[in-house]
Amino acid sequence: METAMTTVRQLPETKQQIETFAHQLEQGLIKGEIIPTDLLRFQKAMEKVFEKIKPILIESAIVEVEHYEKNPIIKGAEYSIIEAGVKYDYSVCNDAKWNDLSREIESIKEKLKERETFLKSIKEKIEIIDTESGELNVIYPCIKSSTTTLKVTFK
């Protein structure tokens, strides 16, 4: 009986195997031997699988790695238990200066968002007189850029 791990064990697991596998897939795409949408679907499926199991996988792997010496190399991969994504909560410090600065930042962010909404609405250059300085400012439409990609949705 085939298990999920039987399938996973067929995938590359060393640095060299990963390079070779990636090269073979790339060449297959270039030569037209691989249907791109098939490969993209498989890639997205594996992404979703590992997204789903990542919390329990990391937790279990940490427990296993803790049984070894520091930074063990297991089957060609080094494992290091690290603290990542460290965050500090300054709101609990009761520091009036920090609280004031934080409020100022939020106020400025809101004003900036409002201004960006206005700038996005401009379709052609406009001339505006600055009420404080009396200067004439020419404002141009902002430049929109994006990246074309392919969204894959499993049904």
Side-chain angles (χ1 to χ4, degrees):
M1 180 175 135
E2 188 168 312
T3 66
M5 265 320 282
T6 305
T7 303
V8 170
R9 283 191 181 99
Q10 293 176 21
L11 296 171
E13 57 180 317
T14 67
K15 196 173 188 177
Q16 183 57 49
Q17 288 172 346
I18 292 165
E19 288 297 321
T20 301
F21 192 68
H23 180 73
Q24 288 171 348
L25 291 174
E26 184 178 52
Q27 289 304 305
L29 287 165
I30 290 167
K31 293 175 182 176
E33 299 167 349
I34 295 173
I35 299 168
T37 52
D38 283 351
L39 186 57
L40 183 60
R41 190 179 65 254
F42 294 142
Q43 183 266 329
K44 287 292 184 184
M46 287 296 95
E47 208 174 88
K48 294 225 177 268
V49 166
F50 283 101
E51 227 175 72
K52 207 170 202 52
I53 67 167
K54 187 175 181 176
I56 186 70
L57 175 60
I58 297 295
E59 184 182 318
S60 301
I62 287 172
V63 170
E64 179 188 346
V65 168
E66 286 175 333
H67 290 99
Y68 294 90
E69 74 284 351
K70 187 176 182 183
N71 300 338
I73 296 175
I74 306 168
K75 296 183 180 177
E78 181 178 358
Y79 297 85
S80 305
I81 298 173
I82 62 168
E83 294 300 319
V86 176
K87 296 179 184 176
Y88 295 91
D89 181 0
Y90 299 104
S91 66
V92 299
C93 294
N94 197 33
D95 179 47
K97 184 70 173 173
W98 185 90
N99 292 337
D100 290 344
L101 291 169
S102 181
R103 276 191 294 277
E104 284 180 44
I105 287 171
E106 291 308 313
S107 172
I108 290 170
K109 280 183 183 177
E110 188 56 41
K111 289 176 187 174
L112 185 61
K113 191 182 286 185
E114 288 171 9
R115 190 64 179 181
E116 288 170 348
T117 300
F118 163 70
L119 292 171
K120 280 192 258 183
S121 72
I122 295 174
K123 302 303 175 208
E124 55 188 48
K125 77 175 185 177
I126 60 171
E127 295 178 351
I128 295 179
I129 296 176
D130 186 320
T131 54
E132 291 178 17
S133 68
E135 286 185 41
L136 178 67
N137 291 319
V138 178
I139 299 177
Y140 298 92
C142 59
I143 297 173
K144 181 180 177 181
S145 63
S146 64
T147 303
T148 302
T149 190
L150 191 59
K151 180 180 175 183
V152 179
T153 307
F154 291 97
K155 301 289 182 182

